[in-house]
Amino acid sequence: AQRVTQPEKLLSVFKGAPVELKCNYSYSGSPELFWYVQYSRQRLQLLLRHISRESIKGFTADLNKGETSFHLKKPFAQEEDSAMYYCALSPKAAGNKLTFGGGTRVLVKP
Amino acid sequence: EAGVAQSPRYKIIEKRQSVAFWCNPISGHATLYWYQQILGQGPKLLIQFQNNGVVDDSQLPKDRFSAERLKGVDSTLKIQPAKLEDSAVYLCASSQKQGNTEAFFGQGTRLTVV
């Protein structure tokens, strides 16, 4: 069985401070990892995926297979980063059969 | 491009009643998903379609939930009879193919069972 854990329900940081959202997973095979974001009154959307190895809106995430983690980081948080963030896992090549974590709400204060 | 459309946006029903949700995926997207998101939790996959065929419905409570995707385009998800614990947001998503291409989500239908 696959499982995704996001230990923080809420992260509150000041504008310009670094932010790191933790994500740990358990899966016996080779997973694909994703971060999805939901801004206020908007639909859930893909932020980034580990296979792309890209930085989106200043966010990066590194897959650590040894620690089974996929933490999301941004060195300087902006107020527009305030949103709900979900880490998700899919078995490789299984499409978007996603297992989501419980989500972390990020609040960036001015 | 137009996004995934869902209706209704909100629905309130009494327990033991039936309800149906509708989803229109992005044009050309072969794969369609229904997720259930209970308040305070992440979305949970209920069913996955590839064109008009079911790929995975292992987490669908088949005693009360049903879904179909006739003609491989629009989809409906039905609950009959509803229980209080079915109160949730029901999200529809679509992607171009079954591989790991981006999934696009609709705005969801918020169901309240009283």
Side-chain angles (χ1 to χ4, degrees):
Chain A
Q2 55 210 53
R3 186 181 180 91
V4 178
T5 303
Q6 294 179 249
E8 304 122 339
K9 287 285 188 186
L10 173 66
L11 273 181
S12 182
V13 299
F14 284 102
K15 177 182 173 181
V19 62
E20 180 179 26
L21 288 73
K22 291 186 168 46
C23 171
N24 291 93
Y25 67 91
S26 63
Y27 180 63
S28 56
S30 184
E32 302 284 1
L33 274 297
F34 306 82
W35 277 99
Y36 276 80
V37 61
Q38 188 166 26
Y39 301 103
S40 180
R41 295 191 178 87
Q42 294 188 28
R43 56 190 71 194
L44 194 62
Q45 59 186 284
L46 179 65
L47 179 63
L48 54 79
R49 68 186 86 182
H50 91 272
I51 58 173
S52 301
R53 295 183 177 274
E54 57 194 349
S55 173
I56 302 293
K57 299 183 179 182
F59 284 97
T60 59
D62 292 317
L63 178 60
N64 186 324
K65 292 186 178 180
E67 295 181 358
T68 60
S69 68
F70 188 56
H71 303 329
L72 183 69
K73 302 175 186 178
K74 184 169 183 176
F76 307 103
Q78 303 300 314
E79 288 182 70
E80 55 264 31
D81 296 327
S82 295
M84 196 74 186
Y85 292 79
Y86 295 94
C87 182
L89 173 157
S90 175
K92 208 166 201 178
N96 289 283
K97 196 182 298 185
L98 298 164
T99 296
F100 284 88
T104 298
R105 181 170 298 282
V106 172
L107 177 61
V108 182
K109 297 177 285 187
Chain B
E1 61 182 3
V4 176
Q6 290 188 247
S7 68
R9 290 292 312 278
Y10 306 93
K11 189 74 177 179
I12 301 174
I13 61 171
E14 294 182 349
K15 59 184 179 184
R16 292 188 288 275
Q17 286 188 320
S18 62
V19 64
F21 314 126
W22 174 82
C23 173
N24 179 234
I26 293 173
S27 178
H29 280 195
T31 310
L32 185 147
Y33 313 81
W34 282 101
Y35 286 85
Q36 178 194 56
Q37 185 173 20
I38 293 172
L39 186 65
Q41 300 180 19
K44 183 185 85 170
L45 179 68
L46 291 176
I47 189 168
Q48 176 186 354
F49 291 94
Q50 180 72 15
N51 296 310
N52 61 348
V54 175
V55 174
D56 183 354
D57 63 357
S58 58
Q59 298 190 88
L60 188 73
K62 298 180 189 62
D63 58 333
R64 298 184 300 105
F65 287 65
S66 64
E68 60 183 12
R69 192 183 182 198
L70 299 176
K71 302 180 182 178
V73 181
D74 293 1
S75 177
T76 55
L77 176 69
K78 296 179 182 178
I79 308 175
Q80 181 178 13
K83 292 185 175 181
L84 296 177
E85 57 261 36
D86 298 332
S87 294
V89 175
Y90 291 85
L91 297 167
C92 179
S94 70
S95 61
Q96 281 189 318
K97 55 184 179 180
Q98 196 171 351
N100 280 326
T101 57
E102 181 175 351
F104 293 85
F105 283 80
Q107 290 192 302
T109 296
R110 183 178 297 277
L111 173 68
T112 302
V113 183
V114 297

